[in-house]
Amino acid sequence: MSKLKVISEKSLTNNSRVVGLLAQLEKINTESAESDSARYVTSKILHLAQSQEKTRREMTAKGSTGMEVLLSTLENTKDLQTTLNILSILVELVSAGGGRRASFLVAKGGSQILLQLLVNASKESSSHEELMVQIHSILAKIGPKDKKFGVKARINGALNITLNLVKQNLQNHRLVLPCLQLLRVYSANSVNSVSLGKNGVVELMFKIIGPFSKKNSGLMKVALDTLAALLKSKTNARRAVDRGYVQVLLTIYVDWHRHDNRHRNMLIRKGILQSLKSVTNIKLGRKAFIDANGMKILYNTSQECLAVRTLDPLVNTSSLIMRKCFPKNRLPLPTIKSSFHFQLPVIPVTGPVAQLYSLPPEVDDVVDESDDNDDIDLEAENETENEDDLDQNFKNDDIETDINKLKPKQEPGRTIEELKMYEHLFPELVDDFQDYDLISKEPKPFVFEGKVCGPIVVPTAGEEVSGSSVSLRKGVVMKENVSPKGDEGDKKPACVDLVKEDIKDNDRILQQQLGDQNRTISSGHGLNNDIVKALDRITLQNIPSQTAPGFTAETKDYSLPLTVLTCTKACPHVATCGNALFEGRTVQLGKLCCTGVETEDEDTESSSSVEQASVEVPEGPTLHDPDLYIEIVKSTKSVPEYSEVAYPDYFGHIPPPFKEPILERPYGVQRTKIAQDIERLIHQSDIIDRVVYDLDNPNYTILEEGDVLKFNSKFESGNLRKVIQIRKNEYDLILNSDINSNHYHQWFYFEVSGMRLSVAYRFNIINCEKSNSQFNYGMQPLMYSVQEALNARPWWIRVGTDICYYKNHFSRSSVAAGGQKGKSYYTITFTVSFPHKDDVCYFAYHYPYTYSTLQMHLQKLESAHNPQQIYFRKDVLCATLSGNSCPLVTITAMPESNYYEHICQFRNRPYVFLSARVHPGETNASWVMKGTLEYLMSNNPTAQSLRESFIFKIIPMLNPDGVINGNHRCSLSGEDLNRQWQSPNPDLHPTIYHAKGLLQYLAAVKRLPLVYCDYHGHSRKKNVFMYGCSIKETVWHTNDTNATSCDVVEDMGYRTLPKILSHIAPAFCMSSCSFVVEKSKESTARVVVWREIGVQRSYTMESTLCGCDQGKYKGLQIGTRELEEMGAKFCVGLLRLKRLTSPLDYNLPSSLLDFENELIESSCKVTSPTTYVLEEDEPRFLEEVDYSAESNDELDIELAENAGDYEPSAQEEILSDSELSRTYLS
């Protein structure tokens, strides 16, 4: 009694009656009082619960015992009215409180009590309807919150009780509705679904659903939702197919579509589609759907729904069903292996390449007709009762958890005697510089000696007049190279200056933007229009002097205009050029546009874009020389033995003087493209299906029709295997696999010509493999127009509209998909309208950077540097599989003199080891490396300080063969070289074997690099960021309490360089960095150099292919200017790192230190912790995109939401941010 009194007093202070009533109810339970009292108290509580939200909150508040009291009463009472009152109270509580209150009820044991009540009530001779309605209503609401609800219901025998109630009361809609809702909850458990199916539930659902009716739409909606859940079971889906229900569903859908004119029953229509979606998860269902003309039905109905935005869910679901049911095709190729074959010196014993070599030729590309969904149904037998496993935090098995494996252990790998083979690549460690002229201490200006040449530029007018010329490269002083007489002497023109009749206003603006301080005006003789036409077909071979090049029978016919083909006029300038430049090996330029050069209009688009631009053009020489490029191409060895040169590589590229924003994705673009693909099946007569380019069939007919585009990819780094014309202005493109592989399709680089003006051409690249791409998030492909280059705009630009990336109906065999069945290819689609008629344009995945371009750049750097100031060596690390050299570059500052102290300082500089382009398709890595090389070789005072501080060992291209042959990821061995660092094979992976050897040699002579960084590109994330290696952060991400409890002591210095870069490099994003070591990455350069070589600051620096979503470049696509800037900023970051790690030995001019501090401190402070980021880092679209069109696709698991962020301790922050203090104290 005292207890009741205390509670009553409390209830008075809180002005709450419900607490007192609950106390009375508890007392009634303990004293087993008469049922009238319980009935009265529960009715009072019900009244309060119905009328006051405050009451409902109090009963479900934390610490409240109200729910236990109600459930205890419900479990023990025999009185029907009391039971109904309590059930009504529970309905009020869970109806108004959302999921939290339902979970609260489950946590208090409500599921089990209510299920037992249902079973007990069913045993009564005449079950009370109201009781059944209430029990089912509550169970339908709390069931989804109970992870073991399906198991509990099955064990209690509740499934058949509910099912029989529906069967016996089909006309009693008030009772059937909550029963159907509960059946839907039961069906979420696959065992229950099969069990209910065997008892006739599928047939029962088809008695409830039917054609359009204004009555009972609520019941129809719930029945359809229940049916969709039931049909997710393969057993039930097969039962539905066998009984012809696919046709029934389609008929019902069409009926509702026709009659629901005001779209008030969209949920019912979607419910029918959801049932179709479930039943078509099995092959039998897809076949039944096709046989019932489902493709045409859903296509027509979805097209009719497009006009009403609120019907988008119907359109999207229809699109998904049609994509799934679209008959799977194999790619229209003779084999999915690469068109090119390279015989390996050694065949690997295991791995994908060994498998490829062991396969019969006809096996590798067979579409896998087996279907995981048609396996014998073992759902009931295989059901694991431990369903609460799904509720556990996701554990990433890829993260290394073994502390012993994580701890770096320096392993020499090779003996000292073996490593001595690398001594000759480190002459800087032994050279005494006695033979060098080290007198001059003054910095020399960084200028070229000898011939300077910009990209080839052709006159824009037909008249032979002199005019002003402006350099197309950044700050280049152009020399007069055209012979004044233009005779056929042995002088060859090194470059042809741009001659214009006059410089229009827009060109003046461009001229000022490209280099006000450094431009010079040079005079040159123009070339007449015949020469421009002759340039249409420059051939790089010996030609008889009386014949103009491009008109010989041996040259490839480019279908030039008749006037060009019949031209017999001698072109002495070009003939001389042809003879003098291209002796020896035959090399051929791609074709120029046939119409000559168009004159510029004053009010072109370029004028406005230039005005908006603010271009910062650094001083320095151009590294591009078309003549030198041609000479290098002749000695470059490719598997297809390319004899052509792509014009972008010959002309060169300069960044456009305008910004290129990330493209906004139009709403509904993907479903529009998919609908057009589906039309191919529905309206097959509209499809041309004509091959217009084919590497596998050299004898394919080249069409002469004027409205058919012409394609080519037979040049260095080119990749395009086959082109099929689908419609008049639509083409399917197929990429070539990496050599000695049957996959890795992503990189493309090809030529297009024969286009018409103001025509929208759609290009579909149909055999991509990655599950997502930045093409879905604003990235555009790149295009280079020869006509634009001739008009003084030699740059790659982002182009294309209606761009998206989606799963298509071309199927990969299990062999090509690494043993996984039913995997599909993906399509990149984009639409382009060309700016000029009969132009020659090139498309690329990213800014191309060929092996020959690298060799040209290195030669220009070598010939231009000041040998008294800069120590520059270019060695050959090794030969590649196809015999190309892999360059190794050493850069540092020359010693001040050959005195002992200066030589010692020179030899004791710490090493920085850099590498790039192990993956050929990541061309952005080469542009970043170009920025690094140019900065290190510049006469910038900071660059000089860098050279005096470090010795740079650089391998700018780890995979020359892959780059040359247009591979995306592999070398000629068919393997990813960045997975071979643990045990590289000297015969199959020579560049990796010897790169690792260099690092092992440095470790052996106790000269470990301060920093190792491998430059990469990232296809699915924005910004520039780093991956590093940390034991502590890896252990933290495992969520392993045992591992975490280990006393891991780790220097946080690995974070310093990324933090510095986040302050000084606008494109760099610290929050995207990760320092976790994954098992799948244990053979990468980053992890092996850290673990085996012992370099703490071992990084992969990833640059986006798309653009930035933070900082100065937010909302912009990345270009070569930003990439090169990142390479330069990386160098500045190293200088800052040097200051932090050894300030006492580091004497910089105070002005330079102040300038650098200003640089860093002026940037916004970015102190984001590391996050383990999945590759899929983008938010969902407004337009729902479902990539899992096949039911057996793997699920993407999002880590980011659950992982949290690693927060370094205050002490760790001090260490990482300022090693300076530690150094001063020592």
Side-chain angles (χ1 to χ4, degrees):
M1 192 66 195
S2 61
K3 181 179 177 183
L4 182 61
K5 188 176 180 181
V6 170
I7 292 174
S8 298
E9 289 174 359
K10 182 180 178 183
S11 69
L12 289 171
T13 58
N14 288 338
N15 194 25
S16 171
R17 294 173 55 202
V18 73
V19 176
L21 291 170
L22 286 168
Q24 290 181 36
L25 185 61
E26 186 177 21
K27 179 174 177 293
I28 292 168
N29 287 341
T30 53
E31 295 176 0
S32 301
E34 64 277 4
S35 58
D36 288 348
S37 303
R39 193 181 308 157
Y40 173 77
V41 171
T42 52
S43 67
K44 288 291 185 185
I45 296 173
L46 175 60
H47 175 72
L48 288 172
Q50 287 173 333
S51 58
Q52 297 180 9
E53 170 60 21
K54 178 184 174 184
T55 300
R56 296 193 287 269
R57 276 201 306 270
E58 283 184 34
M59 293 179 68
T60 55
K62 191 174 182 181
S64 168
T65 59
M67 192 68 80
E68 286 98 323
V69 173
L70 289 173
L71 289 173
S72 173
T73 307
L74 186 65
E75 196 172 15
N76 298 315
T77 186
K78 303 296 182 187
D79 181 63
L80 177 62
Q81 191 57 50
T82 303
T83 302
L84 288 171
N85 287 345
I86 295 174
L87 289 175
S88 297
I89 294 168
L90 294 178
V91 168
E92 288 296 330
L93 292 178
V94 297
S95 296
R100 190 192 66 80
R101 291 180 186 173
S103 298
F104 186 79
L105 179 55
V106 169
K108 300 298 182 183
S111 302
Q112 184 61 46
I113 291 169
L114 288 165
L115 284 168
Q116 190 57 53
L117 180 63
L118 174 62
V119 172
N120 294 339
S122 69
K123 292 176 182 176
E124 300 287 334
S125 55
S126 59
S127 58
H128 192 278
E129 180 183 318
E130 183 63 29
L131 180 65
M132 286 299 184
V133 168
Q134 296 281 35
I135 294 174
H136 280 86
S137 296
I138 300 171
L139 285 174
K141 285 185 169 62
I142 69 170
K145 299 296 179 183
D146 187 346
K147 297 294 181 183
K148 290 210 170 192
F149 184 77
V151 179
K152 292 174 183 174
R154 187 166 64 251
I155 290 172
N156 279 285
L159 302 184
N160 286 332
I161 294 171
T162 303
L163 181 59
N164 289 330
L165 269 176
V166 177
K167 288 180 178 178
Q168 294 160 12
N169 299 275
L170 273 177
Q171 302 308 314
N172 185 347
H173 296 158
R174 185 171 180 273
L175 176 58
V176 169
L177 186 63
C179 290
L180 288 177
Q181 290 172 332
L182 187 55
L183 282 174
R184 182 178 59 191
V185 178
Y186 291 158
S187 302
N189 178 292
S190 57
V191 177
N192 291 351
S193 190
V194 173
S195 174
L196 287 167
K198 289 177 180 175
N199 289 322
V201 71
V202 175
E203 293 82 351
L204 184 63
M205 291 303 106
F206 277 94
K207 290 181 180 177
I208 298 172
I209 65 173
F212 176 79
S213 170
K214 292 183 179 180
K215 297 179 181 178
N216 307 321
S217 58
L219 187 66
M220 175 89 168
K221 170 68 179 65
V222 175
L224 284 166
D225 289 346
T226 307
L227 180 63
L230 288 163
L231 293 178
K232 288 179 180 177
S233 157
K234 298 167 197 172
T235 304
N236 292 340
R238 274 194 288 273
R239 182 176 281 107
V241 173
D242 291 343
R243 284 160 177 73
Y245 289 149
V246 174
Q247 176 74 65
V248 173
L249 284 169
L250 285 167
T251 304
I252 293 173
Y253 181 72
V254 170
D255 192 61
W256 279 89
H257 172 79
R258 284 175 181 165
H259 290 94
D260 186 24
N261 298 321
R262 296 188 179 182
H263 313 303
R264 292 176 177 172
N265 296 296
M266 191 193 77
L267 291 178
I268 290 179
R269 291 157 68 181
K270 189 178 179 186
I272 301 170
L273 290 176
Q274 291 291 350
S275 298
L276 282 168
K277 181 182 170 186
S278 295
V279 81
T280 52
N281 280 340
I282 62 169
K283 185 180 290 184
L284 282 173
R286 294 194 287 273
K287 184 177 183 303
F289 178 83
I290 294 288
D291 293 344
N293 204 19
M295 294 291 279
K296 193 165 187 177
I297 290 170
L298 287 196
Y299 174 80
N300 290 334
T301 53
S302 62
Q303 291 302 299
E304 291 168 12
C305 292
L306 284 175
V308 184
R309 188 72 174 263
T310 54
L311 298 182
D312 279 356
L314 303 183
V315 178
N316 293 337
T317 309
S318 296
S319 174
L320 182 63
I321 295 168
M322 288 187 285
R323 287 170 65 194
K324 186 165 44 173
C325 296
F326 201 116
K328 291 294 178 188
N329 294 337
R330 52 169 285 174
L331 287 171
L333 295 172
T335 170
I336 54 171
K337 293 177 189 172
S338 172
S339 296
F340 309 128
H341 177 69
F342 180 83
Q343 185 59 45
L344 294 176
V346 180
I347 307 299
V349 180
T350 58
V353 181
Q355 185 184 15
L356 199 69
Y357 270 80
S358 64
L359 283 174
E362 69 277 2
V363 169
D364 72 326
D365 54 355
V366 173
V367 174
D368 203 323
E369 292 297 339
S370 63
D371 189 336
D372 272 358
N373 303 308
D374 288 344
D375 291 340
I376 298 171
D377 198 85
L378 299 174
E379 292 155 313
E381 293 82 348
N382 293 338
E383 175 71 17
T384 58
E385 300 299 336
N386 191 18
E387 291 179 4
D388 59 351
D389 285 348
L390 298 173
D391 199 31
Q392 296 176 356
N393 286 332
F394 171 70
K395 183 177 178 181
N396 185 6
D397 293 331
D398 191 33
I399 297 179
E400 183 59 76
T401 56
D402 189 333
I403 297 290
N404 294 322
K405 285 185 179 179
L406 279 174
K407 287 179 180 174
K409 298 175 183 176
Q410 281 188 250
E411 300 173 5
R414 291 183 244 177
T415 64
I416 299 296
E417 292 301 316
E418 287 179 301
L419 293 173
K420 278 185 178 178
M421 66 185 289
Y422 299 110
E423 272 182 348
H424 73 284
L425 296 175
F426 294 92
E428 64 272 12
L429 295 179
V430 294
D431 204 331
D432 58 9
F433 293 91
Q434 295 305 313
D435 300 329
Y436 287 76
D437 178 14
L438 299 174
I439 297 170
S440 174
K441 307 292 192 305
E442 295 299 318
K444 294 283 181 73
F446 186 25
V447 295
F448 285 131
E449 296 176 10
K451 182 180 67 177
V452 181
C453 180
I456 185 166
V457 186
V458 181
T460 59
E463 297 178 24
E464 193 166 333
V465 293
S466 297
S468 299
S469 167
V470 59
S471 161
L472 293 187
R473 295 298 294 183
K474 300 178 280 187
V476 184
V477 180
M478 298 289 289
K479 295 187 178 179
E480 185 178 333
N481 291 297
V482 179
S483 170
K485 295 180 182 178
D487 58 12
E488 296 186 0
D490 54 4
K491 285 188 178 181
K492 62 183 180 184
C495 63
V496 185
D497 284 341
L498 173 66
V499 181
K500 288 204 172 189
E501 196 168 339
D502 60 354
I503 297 177
K504 306 263 174 65
D505 289 342
N506 58 332
D507 290 329
R508 284 200 190 95
I509 295 167
L510 178 64
Q511 175 181 330
Q512 290 162 8
Q513 296 286 351
L514 290 177
D516 284 333
Q517 299 175 357
N518 295 302
R519 74 174 187 275
T520 61
I521 305 299
S522 64
S523 62
H525 286 262
L527 301 180
N528 64 26
N529 199 41
D530 293 324
I531 296 172
V532 177
K533 289 180 178 178
L535 276 168
D536 288 345
R537 298 209 272 168
I538 295 176
T539 49
L540 313 186
Q541 59 186 330
N542 288 322
I543 298 168
S545 58
Q546 69 271 19
T547 310
F551 300 86
T552 57
E554 292 79 20
T555 54
K556 180 176 171 183
D557 179 11
Y558 285 118
S559 302
L560 296 182
L562 189 59
T563 54
V564 179
L565 291 173
T566 58
C567 177
T568 57
K569 183 175 178 179
C571 301
H573 297 73
V574 185
T576 305
C577 182
N579 282 324
L581 277 178
F582 313 126
E583 296 172 358
R585 179 178 158 194
T586 299
V587 185
Q588 182 174 329
L589 271 178
K591 55 192 160 161
L592 274 164
C593 34
C594 307
T595 56
V597 186
E598 295 180 4
T599 54
E600 291 291 308
D601 292 325
E602 296 221 0
D603 43 351
T604 54
E605 290 180 19
S606 61
S607 175
S608 59
S609 61
V610 171
E611 286 170 5
Q612 296 167 6
S614 58
V615 185
E616 298 174 9
V617 182
E619 294 185 18
T622 177
L623 297 184
H624 191 81
D625 182 340
D627 301 343
L628 179 57
Y629 186 82
I630 294 296
E631 290 304 315
I632 291 170
V633 166
K634 293 179 187 177
S635 58
T636 299
K637 301 179 180 69
S638 61
V639 174
E641 298 182 349
Y642 291 130
S643 62
E644 296 180 39
V645 175
Y647 266 97
D649 304 323
Y650 178 71
F651 275 117
H653 159 81
I654 62 173
F658 48 83
K659 303 297 183 187
E660 297 182 285
I662 289 173
L663 192 71
E664 285 193 22
R665 178 187 175 96
Y667 183 82
V669 62
Q670 176 170 295
R671 68 184 187 200
T672 302
K673 298 299 179 185
I674 291 169
Q676 291 171 7
D677 289 351
I678 289 165
E679 286 170 12
R680 299 186 189 189
L681 187 69
I682 297 172
H683 307 298
Q684 295 184 14
S685 59
D686 297 344
I687 304 304
I688 298 172
D689 200 24
R690 176 168 52 194
V691 175
V692 296
Y693 181 73
D694 193 355
L695 281 185
D696 297 295
N697 178 18
N699 301 318
Y700 73 94
T701 306
I702 301 175
L703 298 165
E704 299 299 330
E705 296 178 29
D707 59 348
V708 178
L709 295 180
K710 298 173 181 60
F711 296 82
N712 182 32
S713 63
K714 298 173 185 173
F715 46 79
E716 186 175 347
S717 294
N719 190 320
L720 179 64
R721 181 171 185 168
K722 189 171 185 175
V723 181
I724 302 167
Q725 186 182 18
I726 299 299
R727 298 180 178 96
K728 186 177 180 181
N729 300 316
E730 181 180 354
Y731 296 83
D732 278 358
L733 284 61
I734 301 174
L735 305 180
N736 200 14
S737 305
D738 285 4
I739 292 175
N740 276 316
S741 164
N742 57 15
H743 55 138
Y744 299 116
H745 317 96
Q746 208 80 17
W747 166 257
F748 56 86
Y749 182 19
F750 58 87
E751 172 192 293
V752 179
S753 60
M755 64 284 295
R756 291 174 296 147
L757 205 57
S758 303
V759 173
Y761 292 94
R762 178 182 171 185
F763 299 99
N764 311 305
I765 299 173
I766 62 173
N767 64 330
C768 299
E769 293 174 317
K770 292 192 175 184
S771 61
N772 206 347
S773 166
Q774 284 290 321
F775 283 116
N776 272 333
Y777 305 100
M779 186 168 88
Q780 294 172 281
L782 285 145
M783 187 183 84
Y784 189 105
S785 161
V786 173
Q787 182 68 65
E788 289 289 294
L790 296 176
N791 286 333
R793 291 186 287 272
W795 47 61
W796 286 95
I797 58 168
R798 304 276 188 169
V799 298
T801 56
D802 294 345
I803 300 170
C804 59
Y805 186 96
Y806 58 91
K807 183 177 289 182
N808 61 35
H809 61 277
F810 291 103
S811 179
R812 281 186 271 176
S813 68
S814 58
V815 171
Q820 299 179 65
K821 299 175 183 176
K823 298 290 285 182
S824 293
Y825 287 105
Y826 291 78
T827 291
I828 300 169
T829 182
F830 56 94
T831 302
V832 175
S833 294
F834 294 97
H836 304 283
K837 181 184 178 184
D838 290 327
D839 196 358
V840 178
C841 293
Y842 292 80
F843 289 96
Y845 182 59
H846 199 67
Y847 301 92
Y849 191 102
T850 65
Y851 170 77
S852 298
T853 299
L854 170 67
Q855 293 286 36
M856 174 184 65
H857 286 169
L858 292 179
Q859 281 197 36
K860 300 293 280 186
L861 286 171
E862 186 172 22
S863 65
H865 83 283
N866 182 349
Q868 290 185 329
Q869 184 179 341
I870 302 175
Y871 180 95
F872 178 93
R873 279 182 59 91
K874 183 164 79 79
D875 296 293
V876 175
L877 174 66
C878 62
T880 64
L881 288 178
S882 65
N884 293 293
S885 62
C886 179
L888 170 69
V889 176
T890 307
I891 301 174
T892 188
M894 292 295 283
E896 287 187 39
S897 72
N898 52 21
Y899 291 148
Y900 176 76
E901 294 85 353
H902 291 152
I903 299 298
C904 278
Q905 190 277 337
F906 175 89
R907 292 180 182 173
N908 288 320
R909 293 170 187 164
Y911 275 92
V912 170
F913 202 109
L914 306 176
S915 59
R917 206 68 186 280
V918 71
H919 295 142
E922 295 167 9
T923 57
N924 44 358
S926 282
W927 288 100
V928 177
M929 180 58 77
K930 179 176 182 280
T932 294
L933 288 168
E934 286 194 49
Y935 189 82
L936 290 176
M937 294 296 287
S938 71
N939 57 8
N940 186 302
T942 312
Q944 178 62 19
S945 299
L946 262 173
R947 293 191 293 266
E948 291 170 357
S949 304
F950 299 107
I951 300 173
F952 289 87
K953 282 286 181 189
I954 301 173
I955 307 174
M957 193 171 282
L958 277 166
N959 190 353
D961 287 344
V963 171
I964 292 165
N965 293 288
N967 282 7
H968 176 65
R969 195 162 184 90
C970 300
S971 70
L972 293 186
S973 70
E975 296 165 295
D976 181 347
L977 290 183
N978 203 34
R979 297 296 185 273
Q980 310 303 324
W981 277 79
Q982 272 188 324
S983 304
N985 184 310
D987 296 317
L988 292 175
H989 325 116
T991 59
I992 304 303
Y993 180 82
H994 294 296
K996 186 177 181 181
L998 292 180
L999 288 157
Q1000 288 172 325
Y1001 177 82
L1002 286 173
V1005 298
K1006 311 299 181 190
R1007 296 297 302 276
L1008 271 183
L1010 176 70
V1011 170
Y1012 170 77
C1013 189
D1014 191 21
Y1015 294 179
H1016 281 254
H1018 206 290
S1019 68
R1020 286 188 276 189
K1021 290 178 71 173
K1022 290 184 171 70
N1023 310 312
V1024 181
F1025 51 94
M1026 278 180 156
Y1027 292 137
C1029 301
S1030 161
I1031 302 174
K1032 183 169 280 190
E1033 297 194 32
T1034 303
V1035 167
W1036 181 84
H1037 274 290
T1038 61
N1039 296 322
D1040 188 333
T1041 52
N1042 296 324
T1044 309
S1045 63
C1046 296
D1047 187 18
V1048 178
V1049 179
E1050 185 174 41
D1051 184 350
M1052 294 288 289
Y1054 63 86
R1055 277 177 154 262
T1056 312
L1057 182 57
K1059 279 198 169 185
I1060 291 169
L1061 291 176
S1062 73
H1063 289 274
I1064 65 173
F1068 195 89
C1069 180
M1070 186 70 190
S1071 62
S1072 293
C1073 295
S1074 172
F1075 304 94
V1076 174
V1077 180
E1078 304 99 327
K1079 295 173 187 175
S1080 62
K1081 305 292 176 65
E1082 62 184 5
S1083 293
T1084 61
R1086 164 177 63 101
V1087 176
V1088 170
V1089 171
W1090 171 71
R1091 184 181 285 164
E1092 294 183 24
I1093 310 296
V1095 179
Q1096 183 203 21
R1097 295 179 181 87
S1098 178
Y1099 305 104
T1100 296
M1101 186 161 75
E1102 302 271 0
S1103 301
T1104 179
L1105 291 162
C1106 177
C1108 298
D1109 58 11
Q1110 53 85 49
K1112 175 181 170 184
Y1113 302 132
K1114 182 176 181 178
L1116 297 176
Q1117 295 188 74
I1118 204 157
T1120 56
R1121 179 188 283 105
E1122 292 76 30
L1123 293 168
E1124 290 184 47
E1125 177 193 62
M1126 188 64 235
K1129 293 290 186 185
F1130 180 83
C1131 298
V1132 176
L1134 290 173
L1135 199 60
R1136 171 72 167 162
L1137 180 68
K1138 175 73 173 176
R1139 278 184 55 203
L1140 292 176
T1141 52
S1142 52
L1144 296 179
D1145 303 329
Y1146 193 54
N1147 297 317
L1148 275 178
S1150 58
S1151 59
L1152 187 63
L1153 291 180
D1154 293 341
F1155 171 70
E1156 193 194 337
N1157 273 327
E1158 197 176 276
L1159 247 179
I1160 293 168
E1161 289 165 9
S1162 64
S1163 304
C1164 58
K1165 292 287 180 185
V1166 181
T1167 52
S1168 302
T1170 184
T1171 308
Y1172 183 76
V1173 186
L1174 279 176
E1175 286 196 323
E1176 308 289 353
D1177 69 328
E1178 294 286 350
R1180 284 187 174 275
F1181 304 133
L1182 290 173
E1183 172 189 0
E1184 183 74 14
V1185 175
D1186 186 347
Y1187 287 111
S1188 303
E1190 281 74 40
S1191 59
N1192 59 332
D1193 266 11
E1194 70 276 10
L1195 295 174
D1196 290 329
I1197 303 168
E1198 293 292 340
L1199 268 181
E1201 292 179 6
N1202 301 324
D1205 285 341
Y1206 174 77
E1207 294 284 359
S1209 65
Q1211 184 181 4
E1212 288 171 340
E1213 282 288 349
I1214 292 166
L1215 280 172
S1216 60
D1217 256 344
S1218 179
E1219 294 162 339
L1220 183 66
S1221 55
R1222 184 181 57 198
T1223 315
Y1224 274 126
L1225 290 171
S1226 60

